[in-house]
Amino acid sequence: MDTVGYSDQLAHALIDSGGYSWSKLADDYYSLSETARRFALEKMDIVVVGAVEPIIRLADELSWTFIASEVQVLDWSANRGQRGRIDLLGWNAESITLVDVKTVQNIPAEVRTGDAAQLRKYTRDLRPTAPPRHRFKARALYVDHAGRTETRRVNVRKGGSHD
């Protein structure tokens, strides 16, 4: 049985979960040759399976009562309403946790500067709309091409104290 058509539909759902307004990754995928698509799907399976367990552990550790993926935020600081997307957002009665999932060839020894900056920016954008009692936490989840993972904390608290 040829599964490329089915796999393409699955890939589209995974990489374009934001819908019609955010299709760059899906467009890039569809521009690949069939051989390259198969290779991408094999890697996607490895990365997705690798990311599942750390996300479940994090949700359990932080007692999330709600979880959402591909959460759109507006960048009010740019005065342009430019959109951004938080890969994963989980919260409970006391805290909101932002998770940025990064696919990497090699897991870095510490959080990369750009990844931390992105999570801090998203936190700044969300603070005005969050309940005042909620603390913000952030994690960078690195998944390498073999499915190995590392979850690293990112300091996003006001005043610089660690979450």
Side-chain angles (χ1 to χ4, degrees), residues 64-76:
W64 287 346
T65 56
F66 183 84
I67 186 171
S69 64
E70 296 297 322
V71 178
Q72 291 187 12
V73 294
L74 296 177
D75 179 3
W76 295 112

Side-chain angles (χ1 to χ4, degrees), residues 1-148:
M1 177 174 112
D2 182 24
T3 59
V4 174
Y6 172 77
S7 297
D8 283 352
Q9 292 170 359
L10 176 60
H12 193 289
L14 290 170
I15 65 176
D16 193 27
S17 60
Y20 67 90
S21 65
W22 192 279
S23 65
K24 182 182 181 331
L25 290 176
D27 293 343
D28 290 348
Y29 173 79
Y30 288 124
S31 71
L32 298 173
S33 69
E34 185 174 325
T35 301
R37 283 188 200 181
R38 287 182 192 278
F39 179 77
L41 287 172
E42 288 171 17
K43 292 297 181 186
M44 191 182 307
D45 282 347
I46 292 168
V47 170
V48 169
V49 169
V52 167
E53 187 62 35
I55 290 169
I56 291 170
R57 277 196 309 269
L58 192 58
D60 186 48
E61 170 193 331
L62 298 175
S63 302
W64 287 346
T65 56
F66 183 84
I67 186 171
S69 64
E70 296 297 322
V71 178
Q72 291 187 12
V73 294
L74 296 177
D75 179 3
W76 295 112
S77 65
N79 292 325
R80 295 180 295 201
Q82 184 176 354
R83 293 177 191 250
R85 286 182 187 251
I86 300 168
D87 290 339
L88 199 61
L89 188 71
W91 68 79
N92 60 32
E94 292 127 15
S95 65
I96 299 169
T97 304
L98 291 76
V99 179
D100 195 16
V101 181
K102 297 293 185 184
T103 305
V104 293
Q105 190 162 7
N106 298 301
I107 296 174
E110 58 187 34
V111 177
R112 297 181 304 192
T113 304
D115 301 339
Q118 182 178 23
L119 283 162
R120 288 185 185 110
K121 178 187 166 310
Y122 288 157
T123 301
R124 280 192 308 273
D125 292 344
L126 287 180
R127 269 191 212 285
T129 61
R133 70 181 190 280
H134 277 69
R135 294 182 326 269
F136 278 90
K137 299 179 179 188
R139 303 291 187 272
L141 170 58
Y142 294 103
V143 185
D144 74 10
H145 294 182
R148 292 181 297 261

